[in-house]
Each structure stands twice: as structure tokens, then as C-alpha cells.
Amino acid sequence: MTAQPISRFPVPDLVDMPEDIRSRILAVQEKSGFVPNVFLALAHRPDEFRAFFAYHDALMERDSGLSKAEREMIVVVTSGANSCQYCVIAHGAILRIRARDPQIADQVAINYRKADITPRQQAMLAFAMQVSQNAQTVSESDFDVLAAHGFDREDIWDIGAISAFFSMSNRFANLVSLRPNDEFYLMGRLPSK
Amino acid sequence: MTAQPISRFPVPDLVDMPEDIRSRILAVQEKSGFVPNVFLALAHRPDEFRAFFAYHDALMERDSGLSKAEREMIVVVTSGANSCQYCVIAHGAILRIRARDPQIADQVAINYRKADITPRQQAMLAFAMQVSQNAQTVSESDFDVLAAHGFDREDIWDIGAISAFFSMSNRFANLVSLRPNDEFYLMGRLPSK
Amino acid sequence: MTAQPISRFPVPDLVDMPEDIRSRILAVQEKSGFVPNVFLALAHRPDEFRAFFAYHDALMERDSGLSKAEREMIVVVTSGANSCQYCVIAHGAILRIRARDPQIADQVAINYRKADITPRQQAMLAFAMQVSQNAQTVSESDFDVLAAHGFDREDIWDIGAISAFFSMSNRFANLVSLRPNDEFYLMGRLPSK
Amino acid sequence: MTAQPISRFPVPDLVDMPEDIRSRILAVQEKSGFVPNVFLALAHRPDEFRAFFAYHDALMERDSGLSKAEREMIVVVTSGANSCQYCVIAHGAILRIRARDPQIADQVAINYRKADITPRQQAMLAFAMQVSQNAQTVSESDFDVLAAHGFDREDIWDIGAISAFFSMSNRFANLVSLRPNDEFYLMGRLPSK
Amino acid sequence: MTAQPISRFPVPDLVDMPEDIRSRILAVQEKSGFVPNVFLALAHRPDEFRAFFAYHDALMERDSGLSKAEREMIVVVTSGANSCQYCVIAHGAILRIRARDPQIADQVAINYRKADITPRQQAMLAFAMQVSQNAQTVSESDFDVLAAHGFDREDIWDIGAISAFFSMSNRFANLVSLRPNDEFYLMGRLPSK
Amino acid sequence: MTAQPISRFPVPDLVDMPEDIRSRILAVQEKSGFVPNVFLALAHRPDEFRAFFAYHDALMERDSGLSKAEREMIVVVTSGANSCQYCVIAHGAILRIRARDPQIADQVAINYRKADITPRQQAMLAFAMQVSQNAQTVSESDFDVLAAHGFDREDIWDIGAISAFFSMSNRFANLVSLRPNDEFYLMGRLPSK
């Protein structure tokens, strides 16, 4: 199975990548034990690689009223709605780990309304889906609903901006037919020792 | 009319912005005569500002088999499909200027199938719309159609990646209720002297 | 650009038209300075021409609780939803003139929810869109919402009937591939002297 | 059941109608044995009444390459798609009579693809549905398909214009909640003696 | 017209059917005067025949807070939404008979919102449509709406399960292109003597 | 997590179930090591339980040109499209086991077009999705496509009937809010020893 291409486009060898990109990839490999294919596929376009991950980190690593697990929930639910195989499988793995919950990713990807999450998280995901599928309808009354669940306006920016970023990411992954790494399928499904 | 807010979120004063962001904004103002509101709205989040424009420039300024006018066509057609007021009006202005055609933007925004463009451009916009609305269905047969119109694979990446980037940008603009500058409405509509 | 056909179907010469139709067209030309292409395209079928404009005038020229600018808003918003190039561009021009507002048409055509209009006008356009896209769901509770904004039942007939009439008109224009006149693009965009 | 209102709007008494409208209604009553409710509901607005029926007759009574039964098929299939109770029930009755077929209307209203009609009629109804639901996609290639079934361009205008006219009519009927006359339900279902 | 095939698949002769299936079919024929085609088409697969009718009877014949006419309304409204010719025509006939109302089936099939039914029945059909078209959104708040109309939880199971069963049945009928019997078209339309 | 209800409706104790249902459940438990919740939820209605599983077995256990793994692929792809949490998770587990492939279920549930399956299986799933989402458009030309991939007409019945059966099952599971058993999440994901 590992002989399948990971992208419809050329994937450069590590030795041919610009130094900053190679360094980032080696750092990810050291931390995770493997290189998620999105890094390799995007390395075909170094400037886009740099901008993509800068944007990703700006949203997913910043201090926020949303926990890291909650941010991954947003990724998984919108990626499911956009039928993005790479994004659901890779971020599903990250969500399981961040939430320390082996079931959460499958539940959220298929139907977040029936996932084992809080009403506050339900409201968060409903808004993420609105931005993903009908952003033109967003109004102040939607902000009021979120405020009633304790989200401040910066939190709402985070929910919406993460949903918007993965609207791009999902489409990019489908464009290049990005293949999920074998490692993601099982990550976070087994009790850690 | 200019008293209307340009974003649902706080917009920082120029003096309070990080130096690199202020410089970029002043440069745009010098070149264009005004500051497009997307710069001001995104300055609320400097890291996202930097990543957004780095990504934008990586796609819209690179050497490409697509002309700059063609890239703006992609922006306008997908922004129309996503009902993004700021994006259609601002990039419609840029498209009129790049294409030196006062009618092209309105035509493309409403129904690209009836715009005064070439069959090659029709195929380009059909693919941009597929990535925008149904990216999960993209297959090699779609690449073949584009190849028959003379697009190589790097061109196809460009079409798809621009469509994907503005899938994000459209949603961001609708999230913050980004207001188009008054200047955009008339740009490129009058014969230049 | 003016060499492009204005319709997929034959367009008669003025001299070959029935007297009443030629008179109407000459009157429009005298008043507007040009003949909107819808008159020429429909002249191919004189009886349909007569009925179309009789219906149009019955709705758009009658005394009504809706201003003429408001009626053109309804035309523009529903024509945008139906991707009718002729209707958005031609009636966008008329809307700019009637409302004495160079920005209103572009705003309404792309996303009326974010246009610079009153809450009453928002409610009017929401109902026009419901009739345009989901007329089978119209119920008395929708009439109640409009009544709360000060619309009486005759006004509601007007909103709905204009939306319905342009459901026809949009489809006709797309059927014949009706080309907007060059003149419409710039009408009402410049300050009048 | 006959005590139910036939319209959400006032319905004038025959004696209060303008002479030309009353005459038309009395003529219909004499011919059909009853007054279809669309005449009474539209009589509330005499100018719209006149234009509506002038348009209707221009399309439905003219010499055409389409038989009258075929034109009613177009009405029934598009009215079914638009969930218009009055139009399906009233024009279903007319279709049964025109086609001398007690089953055709129910078949066409529910799923024209499985109706007992010719391949030529299938193509006609597929195009009527395209105009009804996605007119912005109509292109010359659609005309070519119809030409291959023997339709000339005037026939295609007729198919599209009838579909467009009933796009209006369906929405009007849903706006006013037009009630089908009891008589329509059984018309054309029994063998004539 | 009766020479048309009733299914895309082989239809066995009565003499070749298993005894239990032949008996059931003969019983239906004795009671109704004809054999509805669904019995013949399903006899091609005896085990599926047995399970289908066992399921049907379990839902449609059980003691329930829903009358038999109400259950047929659910069938007709969801079959209309799924464009199932056999189901609308056959169950429309049964609905007319059960409700002793010659108009109810046509009304419900086209637009249940405007049918001559009670507010309680409107709520029932709205929920049946939700299960048919968007079952993933069903929540306790939907149950509360139904409870306010006097439906207990067993009634709600019945509404939803009938809608679900005919989601299968509609698709099966479209798969095999099941032809409605001629007898159904007129059943229940004439006053019984 | 196991304290969560498995159904919105009452779930009977084993001792209170009819003998045949208890036996079937005990047999499943013996074979699988646990009782899938669909058995318990449906036991609330013994007649529906019996018919449901008889139907299920008639389709899923019969001799067929489709392998058991292929039949489970159909279940997973249509259940994904219908956002049925129970069905995707439970049948995803069965698919992994039947196909001896730990990745296949996640791939198929999210986007079958990019799953590691044969072109024949792609065609099978495309038809299953057509029956699931647009059964009214099924025509002989769809049968021809499947025939070109080697499916005979009985195979096509199987594809369509399984898709149809799970159209019911998905809706039932969403109606009762059926909870997947914890056991399903990990089944078939680990190499068997």
C-alpha cells in the first residue's frame, strides 16, 4: 500500500529542498516518528509551504480560548463535510491524541450533533460548519449565540478562521489527491501505556 | 457611507501595528492611493496578516502559465459563487485593470459561461469552480480536459490553489463582514487617459 | 465587443417590426439614448413582447408601497441568485439611478444581507428570495414578519409578484443568451453633474 | 371543502370586475363549466390579469412544432419540480384531456423519466427542467441535443419560454396559496362517452 | 399500455413461486381485485419479498396512535419527495380510500404544507420529511414539537420508521423501474355508492 | 462513556424479550463477544426486529456476485453520505474484517473516489451512491456501465437493494440516536495474530 503516490504532483527529495523546509520536515519527523504527507506534497512549492504552515501555526498554536483539542474538532468536522480523506484521517489522529479520547474523531467526522461533546462544543462546531458551508449568512445573531456559550469575540475569530483555513486545506488536499500516511489510522486509538 | 465599520472586529491604528505590517500597508497606500480594507482587518492578527499575504503573493505574483488577469478571473468567479461582497468588488476592480476590460468582472462574477473569454479560459474557470464547490470529485480526467486546452500540470496547481486560497479568503471576509472600499467600485470602469 | 450577438435567436430589424412594437422601442431609445437588448430579442415574438412589457409595467410602474428603487432591488437580488447576466447588469444600472447610489447594485447582487439598506428592505429581500428559491414554503407566518416591518398585503403581493416575474425573465434571458448593452455597465456609477 | 379560501388575497365579485375581465371569465365558465381559480385570484389585479393571460395564450395557443399536449407536459413537469399544487392539479387535468391519456399527468408530475412518452418528449422535458432549475447552464450543446430529436430553434424557444413562464406562474400560485378547483381532480381520468 | 414491463428484472409466474408467496399474492388479488405490481416484482427474490412485507405489515398494520390514513399520508409525502412513481400512485390510491377523501393524495404528494389536513398532521408530515431528507439533524427538540401536538414517543417511532421504510421502498421501486398498476390511478377518486 | 444511552427509546432486558429474539441476540453475543446495539434498540419492537434482520440477512448473507467485503463497502459509503454514526462505525468495523484491510473503511466513508479499490468497485460504489441520493435518475444506461465492469443484473439488484436497505437503516439509526458500541472503533484495525 505504501507504494501508492502521495500526491498527483512531483514530490521533491529531502536533499533537494531549501534548508528551512528540510529543517522543518526533519523536526516533524523527529517529533512524530514520520513525515506527514502534507509536508512533502507542499514542498513542491516552497513559498506556498512556508505560508501554509505559518498560517496553520498562527491559528492552531496561538494562545486561545479554544483548547487544542477543540481546534482539531473544528478541523475534523469541516473536513468531513468537505470529504477530505487526508484531513479527516490525519487530523482525526491528532484530535484523538489531543482529546485523549479514542472515539471522538470518528463521532465528530460523521455527525458532530451526536458526538460526546459539551453543548458549548456543539455550538462551536455548528458555527464552524456555518462558516464552512454558508459563510455568507453569518450575522451578529450568530455571534450572540456563541457569546451565550461563553465564547468571546477573539474565540469566534478563531473558530471561523480555522474553519476558513481548512476550507482551503481540504480543497488543496483534494486537488493534489493527498494520501494519508499509514501511521495516522491507528494513532490515538489504543490506550497509551 | 464611509462611517460604516469595515470589520466586525477591532481595527488597529497604523501607529500601533508592528513595523513590518505598517510598512507593507504604507507601501500599498503609496501604490494604490488607498489601503484596501483587508489589510486593516487582518492587521488585528499580525501573524495571520503575514501568512495570508505571503500565501496570496506566492500564488498571485509567481511566474505562471496563467496571466495575472486570468488569476483574477479565478478569484472573481469563485468569490461570486461564495457570495463574498468584498472579494467580488475588490478583485473585480483588479481584474478590470489587469485585463484592461471594463466589462469582464461583472460578466464573470454573474455567469462565467457567458463571459467574453476564450474557450481555454472557460475550461480554467470550470475547473476553478469544481475545486471551489466539489473538490472531492477532482480526478485525472479533469486534468486531461485542462491539458487539452494547453494547461500543464503546474498551471493546474495554480488554478486549483488559487481557487482553494480564496475559498478561505471568501469565508474570512464573510466572517468579519469585511467592507469593500469605496474606491473599488469604479476602478477600471472608465477609459484610462 | 459590440459585434457579439445579442441573442441566440433572430433579431428583427426595426423596419420589419409591427408598428406598436417599433413605436415602443423608438420611445425607449429616445428616453434612454439606446435600446436595451431585451426589447430587440423579444421583438422576435411580437405577442410575447407585448405581454412581457405589459406585465413588467403593471408591476414596476404601478402605485405601490414599494419605491421604484426597492422594486429594482428585488430584481437585482433575485437575478443574482439565478445567475442572469443581462438582468443583474441592466437592472443594476436602473437600481443605481433610482436609488441615486452607485454602490447599492453590486452590494445587493452579491450578498444583500450585507448591503447598505434598511432592516425593512432586508426583510423585503429575504421574502423576495424565498419566493424565488422556495416559494412552496411561503406561509402566513412569513406575511406576519413582513407586516411587522410595515408592509401591507398589497405590498407583499408586489414583492412576491416581482420576484416571480423575474424568475421568468431570468430564465428567458438565459435561454436566449441575452447580452447586456455596453451602456449599462457604467450607468449610475458616476456622480451626476 | 369548497368553503376554503381560494387565495390569500381578496377575490373580487364578478360584478365588480372590469368588463373585459368579466367577459373573459364568463367565456371560460361557459366553455369549461366552471371558473378556474387562477382567473379569480388574478382578477384582484386587472392589469396583471390581462398581461398574464396574454402571455399564457401567446405561448400555449400559438402555432408551434409542439402539440398542445406536449406544451401541457412541460407545464406539469416544471410545476411538479416547483411543488405548485394548483399548477400540477389544474394543468394535469388539461394534459389528460389534451393527450387523451388518463395516466400521463401523474406519471410526468412525479418522474418524467419513467413516463409513457417518446424519447423526443423525454428530451423536451429534460430541457424544460434545465431551464426551470439551472437556466444559467443552457448552452448551444443543449440546442444540438434537441435538434437531433427534430426540434427546430422556434420549438426550442417554445420549450424554454413555457418553462420560464410557469416558473413565474408556480411562484405566483404559491405566493397567493391558490387553491385548485374541485373539478380538476377528476377531469380526464374517466373514459369519455 | 398494459404491455409495458412492470420491472427491469424477471417477474416469475404464479405457478413458479414458493407456496407462501403465491398464497399471499392470491389473497391480495381476492381482496383487491388485482395484484399490485410490487408483489410480483419482489417475488423474484422470495426472501426479500417475505422480509419486505413482514416489515411493511409490522409498521402499517400495528395498533398505533396514528390512523391508517395518517400512515399513508407519510408514505405519499416522502414518496413524492423521492420522485417514486409507483409509490405515489399506489399509496395515493390507498390514502384516498383510507381517508375517504378523493383530493388528499394529490395535495399531499405535491405540497403537504397546503393540504387540507390538521396542524397535528402538518407536524407529523414535517417530521416524516425531516427523517426522509435530513435524518442526521433529528434531535430531542423535534420530539418536543411533536409531543406538543399530542404524539407520544411510540407514535414518533411510527412516523420515523414509516418514513425510513419508504426511503428504502422508494429506492427499490426506482431501481427496478416498478410500474404502477392501471387500477391505482382511479381508485378512491369517485364517490362510492 | 458506557453510561450513555444507546437509544432514545426504551431498551428491553434480555429476560423480557421473546424467545426467538433473545436466542438470536445470545448467538450474536457468543460469536462476536458483545451485542451490537442495533439488536437491543430494535428489540423494543419485536416484529420490526424480525423483519429487519430477515431483510438484512437476505441481502448480506445470500450467494452473490458481490463479495461480503464489497457489500460492506456499499453500506459504509452510503452510510457516510447519510451521516449515520452507528452505521459507519459498526459496518466500518465489519468491512475492515471482511476485507482484511485496516484502512479501507475510513477511506470509503470519507471519499470512495480516492479509496484503494478496483475500478470495478468504484463503479459499484458510484451506482450505490446514485441509488442512495438520486434513485429517480436510474436508467438502463447505468446498468450498461455496470455490465461493462462485469456485473450481471442480479449483482445490480444486490448493489441497489443494499443501498436501499441502508437508506432505511441509516434513517432508523438517526431517528433513535443509536449509539455505536465501544468495541467497533478498534475492530479490524490491528494486525490479527
Side-chain angles (χ1 to χ4, degrees):
Chain A
M1 212 165 291
T2 51
Q4 301 266 8
I6 66 166
S7 166
R8 281 199 182 102
F9 291 87
V11 174
D13 283 334
L14 262 181
V15 294
D16 299 325
M17 294 179 189
E19 176 52 31
D20 62 319
I21 290 176
R22 184 169 52 241
S23 297
R24 166 116 199 203
I25 287 179
L26 291 172
V28 169
Q29 187 171 35
E30 175 138 339
K31 186 174 166 204
S32 308
F34 67 100
V35 182
N37 289 334
V38 66
F39 288 88
L40 300 176
L42 267 164
H44 176 58
R45 293 273 184 104
D47 287 344
E48 296 169 43
F49 179 107
R50 292 177 189 111
F52 182 93
F53 288 107
Y55 216 144
H56 176 277
D57 294 353
L59 292 168
M60 303 301 278
E61 304 291 336
R62 77 187 293 271
D63 280 334
S64 163
L66 311 181
S67 73
K68 288 192 174 178
E70 286 171 338
R71 283 178 263 186
E72 294 295 333
M73 279 182 211
I74 294 170
V75 179
V76 171
V77 79
T78 55
S79 299
N82 289 327
S83 301
C84 180
Q85 214 174 70
Y86 182 86
C87 312
V88 172
I89 291 171
H91 287 273
I94 302 172
L95 170 54
R96 286 190 293 270
I97 289 169
R98 296 254 195 257
R100 297 170 195 277
D101 180 341
Q103 300 186 350
I104 189 77
D106 294 345
Q107 291 176 358
V108 163
I110 304 166
N111 191 353
Y112 75 93
R113 297 173 199 82
K114 305 201 176 177
D116 296 323
I117 55 178
T118 64
R120 175 185 147 99
Q121 289 167 338
Q122 292 278 351
M124 176 186 78
L125 296 183
F127 184 70
M129 285 290 274
Q130 183 182 6
V131 171
S132 176
Q133 307 297 312
N134 288 295
Q136 68 274 22
T137 66
V138 169
S139 74
E140 279 299 312
S141 66
D142 301 308
F143 281 51
D144 294 343
V145 170
L146 291 165
H149 282 283
F151 292 105
D152 69 22
R153 291 183 82 86
E154 295 305 311
D155 298 335
I156 298 175
W157 176 301
D158 287 343
I159 300 169
I162 292 168
S163 176
F165 179 79
F166 281 89
S167 290
M168 173 178 66
S169 181
N170 294 165
R171 284 164 178 79
F172 169 76
N174 273 321
L175 171 70
V176 308
S177 203
L178 188 61
R179 184 176 177 81
N181 303 61
D182 293 350
E183 288 84 351
F184 285 126
Y185 288 86
L186 203 55
M187 277 173 62
R189 292 192 180 276
L190 297 170
S192 52
K193 295 137 233 180
Chain B
M1 213 165 293
T2 50
Q4 301 265 8
I6 65 166
S7 166
R8 281 200 182 101
F9 290 87
V11 174
D13 284 334
L14 262 181
V15 294
D16 299 326
M17 294 178 189
E19 176 52 30
D20 62 319
I21 289 176
R22 183 168 54 241
S23 296
R24 167 116 198 203
I25 288 178
L26 291 172
V28 169
Q29 186 172 36
E30 176 137 340
K31 185 174 167 205
S32 307
F34 66 100
V35 183
N37 288 336
V38 66
F39 288 89
L40 300 175
L42 267 165
H44 177 58
R45 292 273 184 104
D47 287 343
E48 296 169 43
F49 178 106
R50 292 177 188 112
F52 182 94
F53 289 107
Y55 216 144
H56 176 276
D57 294 353
L59 292 167
M60 303 300 279
E61 305 290 337
R62 79 187 290 271
D63 280 333
S64 164
L66 311 181
S67 72
K68 288 193 174 178
E70 286 172 337
R71 283 178 264 186
E72 294 295 334
M73 279 181 210
I74 295 169
V75 180
V76 171
V77 79
T78 54
S79 299
N82 289 328
S83 301
C84 180
Q85 213 175 71
Y86 182 87
C87 312
V88 173
I89 292 171
H91 286 273
I94 303 172
L95 171 55
R96 285 189 295 269
I97 288 169
R98 296 254 194 255
R100 298 171 194 275
D101 180 341
Q103 299 187 352
I104 189 75
D106 293 345
Q107 290 176 0
V108 164
I110 303 167
N111 190 354
Y112 74 93
R113 297 173 201 82
K114 305 200 177 179
D116 296 324
I117 56 177
T118 65
R120 175 185 146 99
Q121 290 167 339
Q122 292 277 351
M124 176 186 78
L125 296 183
F127 184 69
M129 285 290 275
Q130 183 182 7
V131 171
S132 175
Q133 307 297 312
N134 288 294
Q136 69 274 23
T137 66
V138 170
S139 74
E140 279 300 311
S141 67
D142 301 308
F143 281 51
D144 294 342
V145 171
L146 291 166
H149 283 282
F151 292 104
D152 68 22
R153 292 183 82 86
E154 294 306 310
D155 298 336
I156 299 175
W157 175 301
D158 287 344
I159 300 169
I162 292 168
S163 176
F165 180 80
F166 281 90
S167 289
M168 173 179 65
S169 181
N170 295 165
R171 284 163 178 78
F172 169 77
N174 272 321
L175 171 70
V176 308
S177 203
L178 189 61
R179 184 176 177 82
N181 302 62
D182 294 350
E183 288 84 350
F184 285 126
Y185 287 87
L186 203 56
M187 276 173 60
R189 291 191 180 276
L190 297 170
S192 52
K193 292 135 234 180
Chain C
M1 212 164 291
T2 50
Q4 300 266 9
I6 66 165
S7 166
R8 282 200 183 100
F9 290 87
V11 174
D13 284 334
L14 262 181
V15 294
D16 299 326
M17 295 178 187
E19 176 51 31
D20 62 319
I21 290 177
R22 183 169 53 241
S23 296
R24 167 113 197 205
I25 287 179
L26 291 172
V28 170
Q29 186 172 36
E30 175 136 340
K31 185 174 166 204
S32 308
F34 66 101
V35 183
N37 288 334
V38 65
F39 288 88
L40 300 176
L42 267 165
H44 177 57
R45 293 274 184 104
D47 287 344
E48 296 169 43
F49 178 106
R50 292 179 188 108
F52 181 94
F53 288 106
Y55 215 144
H56 176 277
D57 294 353
L59 291 167
M60 303 300 279
E61 304 291 335
R62 77 188 291 271
D63 280 333
S64 163
L66 311 181
S67 72
K68 288 193 175 177
E70 286 172 337
R71 282 178 263 185
E72 294 295 333
M73 280 182 211
I74 294 170
V75 179
V76 171
V77 79
T78 55
S79 299
N82 289 328
S83 300
C84 180
Q85 213 174 71
Y86 182 88
C87 313
V88 172
I89 291 172
H91 286 274
I94 303 173
L95 171 54
R96 286 190 294 271
I97 288 169
R98 296 254 193 255
R100 298 170 195 275
D101 179 341
Q103 300 186 351
I104 189 76
D106 294 344
Q107 291 176 0
V108 164
I110 304 167
N111 191 352
Y112 75 92
R113 297 172 200 81
K114 305 199 177 179
D116 296 324
I117 55 177
T118 64
R120 174 184 147 100
Q121 289 167 340
Q122 291 278 350
M124 174 187 79
L125 296 183
F127 184 70
M129 285 290 274
Q130 183 181 7
V131 171
S132 174
Q133 307 297 312
N134 288 294
Q136 69 274 24
T137 66
V138 169
S139 73
E140 279 300 311
S141 66
D142 300 308
F143 280 51
D144 294 343
V145 170
L146 291 165
H149 283 282
F151 292 105
D152 68 22
R153 291 183 83 86
E154 295 304 311
D155 298 336
I156 299 176
W157 176 300
D158 286 343
I159 300 169
I162 293 168
S163 176
F165 179 80
F166 281 90
S167 289
M168 174 179 64
S169 180
N170 294 166
R171 283 163 179 79
F172 170 77
N174 273 320
L175 171 70
V176 307
S177 203
L178 189 61
R179 185 177 177 81
N181 302 62
D182 294 351
E183 287 84 350
F184 286 125
Y185 288 86
L186 203 55
M187 276 173 60
R189 292 192 180 275
L190 297 170
S192 51
K193 291 138 238 179
Chain D
M1 210 165 293
T2 50
Q4 300 266 9
I6 66 165
S7 167
R8 281 200 182 100
F9 291 87
V11 174
D13 284 335
L14 262 180
V15 294
D16 299 325
M17 294 179 190
E19 175 52 29
D20 61 320
I21 290 176
R22 183 169 52 241
S23 295
R24 167 116 198 202
I25 287 178
L26 291 172
V28 170
Q29 186 171 36
E30 175 138 339
K31 185 174 167 205
S32 307
F34 66 100
V35 183
N37 289 334
V38 66
F39 288 88
L40 299 176
L42 267 165
H44 176 57
R45 292 273 185 105
D47 287 344
E48 296 169 44
F49 178 107
R50 292 178 188 110
F52 181 93
F53 289 106
Y55 216 143
H56 176 277
D57 294 354
L59 293 168
M60 302 301 279
E61 304 291 336
R62 77 186 292 271
D63 280 334
S64 162
L66 312 181
S67 72
K68 288 193 175 178
E70 286 171 337
R71 283 178 262 185
E72 294 295 334
M73 280 182 211
I74 295 170
V75 179
V76 170
V77 79
T78 55
S79 299
N82 290 327
S83 301
C84 180
Q85 215 173 70
Y86 182 86
C87 312
V88 172
I89 291 171
H91 287 273
I94 303 172
L95 171 54
R96 286 190 294 270
I97 288 169
R98 295 255 193 255
R100 297 169 194 278
D101 180 340
Q103 299 187 351
I104 190 76
D106 293 344
Q107 291 176 359
V108 164
I110 304 167
N111 191 353
Y112 75 93
R113 298 173 200 81
K114 305 200 176 176
D116 295 324
I117 56 178
T118 65
R120 174 185 147 101
Q121 289 167 338
Q122 291 277 350
M124 175 186 79
L125 295 184
F127 184 70
M129 285 291 273
Q130 183 182 7
V131 171
S132 175
Q133 308 296 313
N134 288 293
Q136 68 273 23
T137 67
V138 170
S139 73
E140 279 299 311
S141 66
D142 301 308
F143 280 51
D144 294 344
V145 170
L146 292 165
H149 282 282
F151 292 105
D152 68 23
R153 292 183 81 86
E154 295 305 310
D155 297 335
I156 298 175
W157 175 302
D158 286 343
I159 300 170
I162 292 168
S163 176
F165 179 80
F166 282 89
S167 289
M168 173 178 65
S169 181
N170 294 165
R171 284 163 177 80
F172 169 76
N174 272 320
L175 171 70
V176 307
S177 203
L178 189 62
R179 184 177 178 81
N181 303 61
D182 293 350
E183 287 84 349
F184 285 125
Y185 288 86
L186 203 56
M187 276 172 62
R189 292 191 180 276
L190 297 171
S192 52
K193 296 137 234 177
Chain E
M1 209 165 292
T2 49
Q4 301 265 9
I6 66 165
S7 166
R8 282 201 181 100
F9 291 87
V11 174
D13 283 334
L14 262 181
V15 293
D16 299 326
M17 295 179 189
E19 175 52 31
D20 62 318
I21 290 176
R22 183 170 53 242
S23 296
R24 167 117 197 203
I25 287 178
L26 291 173
V28 169
Q29 186 172 35
E30 175 138 341
K31 186 175 167 204
S32 307
F34 66 101
V35 182
N37 289 334
V38 67
F39 289 88
L40 300 176
L42 267 165
H44 176 57
R45 292 272 185 106
D47 287 343
E48 297 168 43
F49 177 107
R50 292 177 189 111
F52 182 93
F53 289 106
Y55 216 143
H56 175 277
D57 294 353
L59 292 167
M60 303 302 278
E61 305 291 337
R62 77 186 291 272
D63 279 333
S64 163
L66 312 181
S67 72
K68 288 194 175 177
E70 286 171 337
R71 283 178 264 185
E72 294 295 333
M73 280 182 209
I74 294 170
V75 179
V76 171
V77 79
T78 55
S79 300
N82 290 327
S83 301
C84 179
Q85 215 172 70
Y86 182 87
C87 312
V88 172
I89 292 171
H91 287 273
I94 303 173
L95 171 55
R96 286 190 294 270
I97 288 169
R98 295 255 194 255
R100 297 170 194 277
D101 179 342
Q103 301 187 349
I104 189 77
D106 294 344
Q107 291 175 358
V108 163
I110 304 167
N111 190 353
Y112 75 93
R113 297 172 200 83
K114 305 200 176 178
D116 296 323
I117 55 177
T118 65
R120 174 184 147 101
Q121 289 167 339
Q122 291 278 351
M124 175 186 78
L125 295 184
F127 184 70
M129 285 291 274
Q130 183 181 7
V131 170
S132 176
Q133 307 297 313
N134 289 293
Q136 69 273 22
T137 66
V138 169
S139 73
E140 278 300 310
S141 67
D142 302 307
F143 281 50
D144 294 343
V145 170
L146 291 165
H149 283 282
F151 292 104
D152 69 21
R153 291 183 83 85
E154 295 305 311
D155 297 335
I156 299 175
W157 176 301
D158 286 343
I159 300 169
I162 292 168
S163 176
F165 179 80
F166 281 89
S167 290
M168 174 179 64
S169 180
N170 294 164
R171 285 164 177 79
F172 169 77
N174 273 320
L175 171 70
V176 307
S177 203
L178 188 62
R179 184 176 179 82
N181 302 61
D182 294 349
E183 287 84 349
F184 286 126
Y185 288 86
L186 203 56
M187 276 172 61
R189 293 191 179 275
L190 297 170
S192 51
K193 292 137 236 177
Chain F
M1 210 166 292
T2 49
Q4 300 266 9
I6 65 164
S7 165
R8 282 199 182 101
F9 291 86
V11 174
D13 284 334
L14 262 180
V15 294
D16 299 326
M17 294 178 189
E19 176 51 31
D20 62 319
I21 290 177
R22 183 168 54 240
S23 296
R24 167 118 197 201
I25 287 178
L26 291 173
V28 170
Q29 186 172 35
E30 176 137 338
K31 185 175 166 203
S32 308
F34 67 100
V35 183
N37 288 334
V38 66
F39 288 88
L40 300 176
L42 267 165
H44 177 57
R45 292 271 185 106
D47 287 344
E48 296 170 42
F49 178 106
R50 292 177 189 112
F52 181 93
F53 289 106
Y55 217 144
H56 176 277
D57 293 353
L59 292 167
M60 303 300 279
E61 304 291 336
R62 78 187 291 271
D63 279 333
S64 163
L66 312 180
S67 71
K68 288 194 174 177
E70 286 171 337
R71 283 178 263 185
E72 293 296 333
M73 281 182 209
I74 295 170
V75 179
V76 171
V77 79
T78 54
S79 299
N82 289 329
S83 300
C84 180
Q85 215 173 69
Y86 182 87
C87 313
V88 172
I89 292 171
H91 286 273
I94 302 172
L95 171 55
R96 286 189 295 270
I97 289 169
R98 295 254 194 255
R100 298 170 194 275
D101 180 340
Q103 300 187 350
I104 189 76
D106 294 345
Q107 291 176 358
V108 163
I110 304 168
N111 191 352
Y112 75 92
R113 298 172 200 82
K114 305 199 176 179
D116 296 324
I117 56 177
T118 64
R120 175 185 147 99
Q121 289 167 339
Q122 292 278 350
M124 175 187 79
L125 296 184
F127 184 70
M129 285 290 274
Q130 183 181 7
V131 171
S132 176
Q133 306 297 312
N134 288 295
Q136 69 274 22
T137 66
V138 170
S139 73
E140 278 300 310
S141 66
D142 301 307
F143 281 50
D144 294 343
V145 170
L146 291 166
H149 283 281
F151 293 105
D152 69 22
R153 291 184 82 87
E154 294 306 310
D155 298 336
I156 298 175
W157 175 300
D158 287 343
I159 300 170
I162 293 168
S163 176
F165 179 80
F166 281 89
S167 289
M168 173 179 65
S169 181
N170 295 165
R171 284 164 177 79
F172 170 77
N174 273 319
L175 171 69
V176 307
S177 203
L178 189 61
R179 184 175 179 83
N181 302 62
D182 294 350
E183 288 84 350
F184 286 125
Y185 288 86
L186 203 55
M187 275 173 62
R189 292 192 179 275
L190 297 170
S192 52
K193 293 137 236 177

